[in-house]
Amino acid sequence: MSLLTPSIDPRLAGIAPGFRALSIVVEAAPITAPEVAPAVLAQACQQVLNDDVAWADAHLAAWDEVFKAFGAKPKRTPCSASALRKRVLKDGTLPPLDPVVDIYNAISIRYAIPVGGENLAAYTGAPRLTLADGSEPFDTFKEGQPSVEHPDAGEVIWRDDLGVTCRRWNWRQGVRTRLDSKAQTMWFILESLPEMPLTALEAAADELVSHLQKLMPGATAQVQLLELA
């Protein structure tokens, strides 16, 4: 099992008091039950429509306020969970992308929580959540072509030693560390604010691990709680 110690910049306490996250490292195994992913995604979409969690609106509203606190405009660049759920509420479903991605997206929409999935083998150094100075490279695609952007100074980013891995906290992931089911060492980050109960955060992590282990029997997981000091 790969060891991982993500870090959180203490300056973020002034932006998102009470922020906490669960970091999960999964050592993958061969996928032998691909049918798990579409079933999990379909069920999550139906639950959002018919049986939503009680804290959903308050949690996503709190993320909007956090985004505003570091200068982002949540209506234009919302947190990842808001963006996914809006698509479900509009279309009734999400199109399948990749078995592993579909499972972590299902957890995100079901629990109204931003969930990131990353290929840990593509990292140089440990992930860290911090404030950008504006010089960090962020690899993405623009009009179908590879492109390098830079975050705004003061923007909250996830990064490693090479550059930005996710912009605007959890709005858009980069290309270099993007996760799919071919990855051997997977890192997931489930990010919550106090409006989401800790028990719900733990339940979301348990469900993510359970679904991944059904998809990939033999996969192992290491879970760590991260909190702002």
Side-chain angles (χ1 to χ4, degrees), residues 106-190:
I107 298 300
S108 178
I109 61 176
R110 173 59 182 145
Y111 284 88
I113 181 175
V115 179
E118 301 272 288
N119 178 2
L120 196 54
Y123 271 73
T124 298
R128 49 195 185 271
L129 184 66
T130 188
L131 297 173
D133 64 23
S135 68
E136 302 89 345
F138 175 72
D139 61 315
T140 184
F141 278 95
K142 184 172 289 186
E143 298 178 351
Q145 298 298 317
S147 175
V148 175
E149 298 178 350
H150 299 276
D152 299 326
E155 180 181 322
V156 178
I157 57 169
W158 278 101
R159 65 161 300 167
D160 66 358
D161 292 349
L162 295 182
V164 180
T165 57
C166 192
R167 283 199 62 186
R168 298 196 178 107
W169 204 310
N170 49 48
W171 166 62
R172 178 174 292 170
Q173 292 172 280
V175 176
R176 173 171 56 90
T177 60
R178 184 176 292 169
L179 179 64
D180 60 30
S181 56
K182 299 182 184 70
Q184 293 301 302
T185 304
M186 304 175 177
W187 176 54
F188 302 92
I189 185 77
L190 285 67

Side-chain angles (χ1 to χ4, degrees), residues 14-156:
I15 294 173
F19 170 75
R20 58 196 173 201
L22 284 176
S23 169
I24 306 174
V25 177
V26 172
E27 293 294 348
I31 292 177
T32 59
E35 69 278 2
V36 167
V40 167
L41 184 60
Q43 182 184 42
C45 291
Q46 279 304 120
Q47 288 177 308
V48 169
L49 297 170
N50 302 332
D51 182 30
D52 205 0
V53 291
W55 64 85
D57 289 344
H59 194 222
L60 297 176
W63 272 111
D64 284 352
E65 293 306 308
V66 166
F67 272 43
K68 291 175 186 176
F70 66 84
K73 297 178 179 178
K75 288 188 177 179
R76 188 175 69 182
T77 59
C79 84
S80 60
S82 291
L84 286 172
R85 286 167 62 92
K86 284 176 183 175
R87 292 172 63 189
V88 173
L89 293 173
K90 178 184 176 184
D91 300 332
T93 187
L94 283 179
L97 298 172
D98 171 274
V100 170
V101 175
D102 292 345
I103 285 175
Y104 80 75
N105 279 346
I107 298 300
S108 178
I109 61 176
R110 173 59 182 145
Y111 284 88
I113 181 175
V115 179
E118 301 272 288
N119 178 2
L120 196 54
Y123 271 73
T124 298
R128 49 195 185 271
L129 184 66
T130 188
L131 297 173
D133 64 23
S135 68
E136 302 89 345
F138 175 72
D139 61 315
T140 184
F141 278 95
K142 184 172 289 186
E143 298 178 351
Q145 298 298 317
S147 175
V148 175
E149 298 178 350
H150 299 276
D152 299 326
E155 180 181 322
V156 178

